[in-house]
Structures are given as C-alpha cells and as structure tokens.
Amino acid sequence: CPSAADLRPSNGSRLCALLYTDDSPYYDQCCAGDVLEVPPNADMPFLPRGWAGRTSSLVVGTRCELTVWSQKGKQGWSRCFGA
C-alpha cells in the first residue's frame, strides 16, 4: 500500500484517500484490484456504480479524514478514518 504521505494520482495532484477492492491477510498483497480515488473536499453521498460493498482496504492521506456510512445517502452508522 502507498504511505499516507504518498497519495498522488498520475497527474501529480493531491488525493485524500484511495479505496481498493482486493485485500489480503498478507500485507504485500493488500491494496489491489480496482481503485477509487477520493480528492480533497469530496462529498460523495453515494458511491459510484459497482462500488457499494466492494471496498476491502483503504489508505487515507495526511491531513485528511474519510467518513463512511453503513447505508446509502449518509444514513446509518458512520465511521471516520484518518492517516
């Protein structure tokens, strides 16, 4: 997985989080599969089509916080992740 300080897409701008579809109990095999990039100040009350229930690992950048909800539309239980 990339470090929290190294979250940058190919164009060099800053990212706040990367969500991955594949995970593994072996650290060197984590952060694989499809990737969803979350830019700074993003507000996504709904995940893009095909992402609901697929995220299995994530990395949150420094000076960022990622809040996720258990139900669509920012409903249900929430949990915050930081670097």
Side-chain angles (χ1 to χ4, degrees), residues 9-82:
S10 58
N11 68 7
S13 62
R14 185 170 176 265
L15 288 173
C16 273
L18 291 174
L19 283 65
Y20 298 90
T21 57
D22 294 344
D23 191 13
S24 172
Y26 303 102
Y27 185 77
D28 62 338
Q29 297 174 21
C30 287
C31 302
D34 294 331
V35 179
L36 178 62
E37 297 179 346
V38 181
N41 302 314
D43 184 13
M44 300 169 65
F46 300 94
L47 286 172
R49 175 171 238 101
W51 273 89
R54 290 188 61 211
T55 302
S56 61
S57 56
L58 58 90
V59 178
V60 179
T62 55
R63 299 186 319 267
C64 285
E65 184 177 90
L66 176 70
T67 303
V68 297
W69 286 265
S70 62
Q71 298 176 12
K72 62 182 178 180
K74 297 183 181 181
Q75 300 294 315
W77 296 98
S78 66
R79 180 158 182 191
C80 294
F81 296 92

